Amino acid sequence: MDDPLVRTADAIFTDSVNLSRWLREAEGRLYEQTAPSSEIADFAERSIRLELCYAELRSFDRDGTFLGRHPFISQRSERERVAALLKEDPVEFTREMDRVRMNISRYSSQINSAKTTKEKKTLAQANLDKFKAALTMYEEILKTQIHG
């Protein structure tokens, strides 16, 4: 399994298995009781992601290429985009990294605010996690560029 495309396909397949298992378990909970809107939204998001898994795997099986819509693939292409941006336009790279830091600060403030509702705090936490991961990616790309 030295081929990166095969490893990606394997990761997507594993994701589809885990999503299918989660959706089967959640479906029972959704019918048993009145489910909170956050769980219904999570169910919908995971259903969409499962469909993306199937579409990516069908495309890879048929053509040997991915569509680039699944998060595993789109995150990798985002990393490639940011790395290319650093090489081509370091000033814009810095601006984007600063915007990511400002979003982290903004979502941290929302989470710590007493005025923010529980639902908004949950959404802010998800966004905070996303931007922290993005900042980690920016920092890793920068370190790789500096240290080789």
Side-chain angles (χ1 to χ4, degrees), residues 15 17 22 51 62 68 71 79-80 85-87 122 126 134 144 148:
D15 190 36
V17 170
W22 187 92
E51 290 303 316
R62 185 180 58 245
R79 183 178 194 82
E80 291 167 359
L85 181 64
L86 176 59
K87 290 177 183 173
T122 303
T144 302

Side-chain angles (χ1 to χ4, degrees), residues 93-101 135 138-139 142:
F93 173 88
T94 306
R95 283 187 192 127
E96 283 191 16
M97 194 168 170
D98 287 343
R99 281 188 221 117
V100 169
R101 285 187 177 122
L135 182 61
Y138 276 84
E139 290 171 344
L142 189 58

Side-chain angles (χ1 to χ4, degrees), residues 61-117:
D61 185 47
R62 185 180 58 245
D63 305 329
T65 60
F66 292 108
L67 300 172
R69 296 183 199 143
H70 189 277
F72 290 174
I73 298 168
S74 63
Q75 287 174 355
R76 183 175 55 182
S77 58
E78 175 68 7
R79 183 178 194 82
E80 291 167 359
R81 182 196 70 80
V82 171
L85 181 64
L86 176 59
K87 290 177 183 173
E88 295 166 10
D89 190 356
V91 173
E92 184 59 29
F93 173 88
T94 306
R95 283 187 192 127
E96 283 191 16
M97 194 168 170
D98 287 343
R99 281 188 221 117
V100 169
R101 285 187 177 122
M102 286 189 306
N103 281 323
I104 290 171
S105 175
R106 180 168 51 116
Y107 289 120
S108 295
S109 295
Q110 287 179 7
I111 291 169
N112 295 328
S113 173
K115 296 178 185 178
T116 307
T117 64

Side-chain angles (χ1 to χ4, degrees), residues 19 22-23 41-52:
L19 289 167
W22 187 92
L23 289 169
D42 196 27
F43 186 87
E45 288 173 11
R46 289 179 191 226
S47 296
I48 292 168
R49 183 166 168 168
L50 181 61
E51 290 303 316
L52 288 174

